[in-house]
Amino acid sequence: MRILVVEDEPTLQAQLAEGTRAAGYVVDLADNGVDAHFMGDTESYDAVVLDLGLPQMDGISVLRKWRAAARVMPVLILTARDGWHEKVAGIDAGADDYLTKPFHMEELLARLRALIRRAGGHASAELVCGALTLDTRNSRATVAGKALALTSHEYRVLAYLMHHRDEIISRNDLVEHIYAQDFDRDSNTVEVFIGRLRKKLPPGLIETVRGLGYRLTTPPPP
Ligand code: CA
C-alpha cells in the first residue's frame, strides 16, 4: 500500500515517514500544498495523511481541489489542538478522518488501516481469502494458520491483491502501489514477485488474466 504524507514541520514529517514505513507502507513525502496537490493529482495513493497548515497552498484547498477533480483516495487530516473549526472545514472539504496534534503513531496507523480497508469495502482488520489470512494490524500472512515468510515487496503485492480480491489488477496498478515515486520502477519485477508468491501460496489462488493482469480469486467454500 502506497501513501502520501504531507507535513511541513521537518521533525514531525520525519517521524511520520519513519512510523509509516516501519508499518510496511511505501511512502512519498511533500512539505507544501502545491507539491502535495500535484502528487495527489497525478500519482496513485491508497491513502493520504494531510496536515492542514501548509505553505504555498493550505491543506483544505488541496483537499477541495482533489475532490473537485474526483480524486477519491481516503484522506486523514492532521489538525491543531482546539482546532474544531478546522475539523469541520476539513470534513466538509472531503476528509475521511482527522487526528489532532499531538497524536500517538499507533493511533495514526490504526486509523490509516481502517481507512484503507474501508476504501476496499472490508470491515475487518483481518482479510481472508480461502485458507489465506492477512492481518493488516501486524502485516502477517498465514495459510491455514501457518505463517508465511514474505519479503517486504512480496507482502506489498499480496496486501494489494488481498485488498482488491476478485478484481483484475493490472501489472501497472501493482507497480503504482508497491513503489515510491522516486523508485526506479520496472514492471517486470512484478512478475518475479508474483512467481515467488505463487510458490508460497495454495495453488491457483493468484490467477493470470491474459493481457489484463492478475486476480486473487476467493475459492468456493468446500
Ligand atoms: Ca503545518
Side-chain angles (χ1 to χ4, degrees):
M1 296 284 141
R2 182 176 174 209
I3 63 171
L4 172 64
V5 168
V6 188
E7 170 60 61
D8 58 313
E9 207 277 297
T11 309
L12 183 54
Q13 192 200 64
Q15 285 168 354
L16 285 165
E18 195 192 332
T20 51
R21 281 178 182 143
Y25 294 103
V26 177
V27 184
D28 288 343
L29 299 169
D31 62 5
N32 68 76
V34 170
D35 286 351
H37 170 255
F38 178 76
M39 291 164 84
D41 213 31
T42 53
E43 300 285 331
S44 300
Y45 295 107
D46 297 294
V48 178
V49 177
L50 179 66
D51 181 33
L52 292 185
L54 293 171
Q56 297 181 41
M57 191 195 304
D58 67 86
I60 298 274
S61 303
V62 171
L63 185 52
R64 279 203 191 108
K65 284 171 81 114
W66 282 338
R67 295 315 193 209
R71 303 296 290 171
V72 296
M73 64 285 192
V75 174
L76 170 69
I77 53 171
L78 303 179
T79 65
R81 200 203 307 247
D82 301 328
W84 66 267
H85 51 285
E86 275 189 341
K87 288 172 198 157
V88 173
I91 290 164
D92 281 344
D96 299 277
D97 200 359
Y98 65 83
L99 206 48
T100 304
K101 294 179 185 178
F103 52 82
H104 290 280
M105 189 57 66
E106 286 304 315
E107 183 175 4
L108 179 122
L109 294 173
R111 287 175 184 274
L112 267 183
R113 285 194 293 274
L115 286 179
I116 290 171
R117 70 176 184 252
R118 283 204 300 265
H122 308 292
S124 164
E126 267 195 350
L127 307 180
V128 180
C129 184
L132 171 66
T133 300
L134 189 121
D135 190 334
T136 58
R137 290 165 297 193
N138 54 22
S139 308
R140 287 218 180 102
T142 54
V143 171
K146 196 167 169 287
L148 288 184
L150 300 175
T151 65
S152 59
H153 278 104
E154 289 164 9
Y155 176 81
R156 284 175 195 149
V157 170
L158 184 61
Y160 193 75
L161 291 173
M162 281 292 266
H163 276 87
H164 298 273
R165 62 185 180 270
D166 298 315
E167 291 172 35
I168 298 171
I169 304 298
S170 72
R171 255 204 281 181
N172 198 43
D173 282 337
L174 281 172
V175 168
E176 287 269 323
H177 289 270
I178 65 170
Y179 294 122
Q181 189 188 31
D182 50 6
F183 199 87
D184 182 19
R185 297 172 186 182
D186 176 0
S187 67
N188 290 319
T189 57
V190 166
E191 261 182 274
V192 175
F193 298 139
I194 292 277
R196 287 192 205 148
L197 277 172
R198 278 185 171 139
K199 287 187 189 141
K200 298 178 181 184
L201 293 172
L205 207 55
I206 301 178
E207 200 187 328
T208 298
V209 185
R210 192 189 280 270
L212 295 174
Y214 303 101
R215 179 165 52 199
L216 189 75
T217 309
T218 311

